Amino acid sequence: MIVLISQVLISTSVLARPENSYVVLAYHDLYDVNLQPARRIFANTVSRDRFVEQLNWIKQNNYHPVSFQQILDAKAGKSKLPENAVLLTFDDGYESFYTTAFPLLKLYQYPAVIALVGKWLEAEPGKEVQYGKTNLDRKHFLNWAQIREMEASGLIEFASHTFNLHYGINANPFANEQPAAVSPEFKAVTSGGDKNGDYESPKAYEQRLREDFRSTRRQMKTHGLKEPRLLVWPYGAYSQQAIRIAQDEGFHYTFSLDEGYNLVTDSGDHLLRYLMDQEISLSHFDRILRGEPKTPAPRRVLHVDLDYVYDPDPKAQQANIDRLIERVSKYQINTVYLQAFADPDGNGVADALYFPNRHLPVRADIFNRVAWQLRSRAGVKIYAWMPVLAFDLGEGYRYVTDIRTGKPAPEHYLRLSPFYERNIRIIGNIYEDLGFYGKFHGILFHDDAFLGDYEDASPEALKQYNAWDLGLSIEDIRKDKSKLKRWSQLKTDYLIYITRRLAARSNRYFASDGQRLKP
């Protein structure tokens, strides 16, 4: 199960904030410990005293809170942002914003953005709101009169935090809950004592998002507010496809929880924000305001072969997962390269996969399960370990061939020819399915992306060599040292190009909490 442990040290330099840059702070609930000593406190809640301390730090150290309109004006070239610009945002629409934050913002004359969850505002007074796995009284959240009053002040802009995507959806056959905005729903069906089911299709998933975005705009307009132009992703989880749909529905600016500063010249499709909590010291707060990145920890890496985790007995398989997580924690692993393809015969070629897909058998739908368990229980980053070309799709496909035999070389992996466009489309489909059904931080390409000294001799490969002005004969290329060198470099560059195409396909649905896809 454990193949390799390695440690990698990463260094970085402190970045100075350039002109027309801004940092976005993401607050949630606030509480006054003196007035509410028994109040139930949730994650990322900040005390009134800490919030005042941070507002004073902003004021005393020449930071300047701005409205989002000021950012748009700077983007349009109408003005420049003040030095050390800061945008204050508040998620979820808690009532504490009206009672605690709003009076302070009026006192300091600091603008802010508040993101509302539409579904939570629909509950009648005296009723409860389903908040994760618990319920909260409706009065814990803003009411429409308070919202309209704050918008009328000119200090507050209201954004959508989606209408009803702020929850964990059942995302695999094991009932793991994952962010609803970026996860296809697995609908379990019990029949004859066996539980099975099926996933929401990409089309149905995309329609669910589209209807949600329309509902939140319609709701805010119905209650007398300006139609929102800003969307804040629940849990900071988004994908390129989710962003595209949001833009189609009028949300051209969306907020993530990726950290760093923003530039007014950025597209705005995933604005960076720092998540605020009670434990952030003033020295840490100042580093955030400067837009400094986190100091990277040493990377301790583990390769995990899912073939050794898999077991046809569900109880034995879960025991394997538990042992894996125990070992990951024991050795303080923070990065796992998790095999997403099945290779029980150990030949390095994928003839089945561990996630639903359009082209190969699914040995077991466990990649999402194991990845999520490792992330949620051991706190590690997951890289999906995948072949580039080494897929056995059976007959009827072009494979890499050796000029000496006209067949795949037995000493190498069986590989699909990268020069046959149909192959690349199919492999791309597999990578897109990985992004749709998996939850991971990056991709580790297998060591199969190579072409030997006598490869590839398929008809499509020879056609490409001719397009590169190398001729149609590999024997002639090999006899000419200049051509041989150029041939080797062109094949290398082409394989790199293929990996980028595959990463782009996976990136369409790739979603993670504050991460960008890292091939």
Side-chain angles (χ1 to χ4, degrees), residues 10 12 257 259-260 274 284 287 291-297 381 515:
I10 302 174
T12 186
L257 286 174
E259 294 189 347
Y274 287 92
H284 184 191
R287 291 197 299 273
E292 293 183 10
K294 287 181 180 177
T295 302
K381 295 191 184 304
Q515 298 291 327

Side-chain angles (χ1 to χ4, degrees), residues 12-165:
T12 186
S13 58
V14 175
L15 298 174
R17 282 184 55 189
E19 185 180 66
N20 270 333
S21 67
Y22 59 100
V23 162
V24 185
L25 307 181
Y27 290 94
H28 285 75
D29 206 0
L30 301 171
Y31 74 101
D32 190 324
V33 68
N34 297 313
L35 298 179
Q36 304 162 304
R39 179 166 181 163
R40 187 176 180 184
I41 306 301
F42 295 95
N44 307 123
T45 299
V46 174
S47 71
R48 181 185 186 278
D49 290 346
R50 178 55 53 89
F51 184 56
V52 170
E53 183 180 58
Q54 291 173 351
L55 292 180
N56 286 335
W57 187 267
I58 287 171
K59 188 175 185 66
Q60 293 166 6
N61 289 276
N62 198 37
Y63 292 102
H64 301 284
V66 295
S67 68
F68 196 75
Q69 187 58 51
Q70 285 177 269
I71 293 169
L72 292 182
D73 289 344
K75 185 178 183 67
K78 297 177 181 179
S79 61
K80 288 185 178 180
L81 288 182
E83 184 183 18
N84 299 324
V86 180
L87 178 64
L88 305 175
T89 68
F90 297 79
D91 290 1
D92 299 350
Y94 299 104
E95 190 258 357
S96 64
F97 184 84
Y98 181 77
T99 59
T100 303
F102 186 48
L104 291 167
L105 295 178
K106 288 193 292 186
L107 178 64
Y108 286 82
Q109 281 296 290
Y110 287 168
V113 170
I114 306 177
L116 303 174
V117 180
K119 185 68 173 180
W120 296 351
L121 301 178
E122 282 200 329
E124 297 295 329
K127 302 295 184 179
E128 290 189 329
V129 170
Q130 186 173 349
Y131 181 83
K133 293 186 178 298
T134 189
N135 289 336
L136 293 179
D137 192 290
R138 172 64 180 83
K139 66 182 180 182
H140 198 93
F141 298 92
L142 294 166
N143 61 50
W144 290 107
Q146 293 167 335
I147 291 169
R148 285 190 291 267
E149 177 188 339
M150 289 188 287
E151 185 178 81
S153 73
L155 277 180
I156 308 303
E157 175 168 353
F158 286 94
S160 171
H161 208 16
T162 73
F163 181 78
N164 188 29
L165 295 176

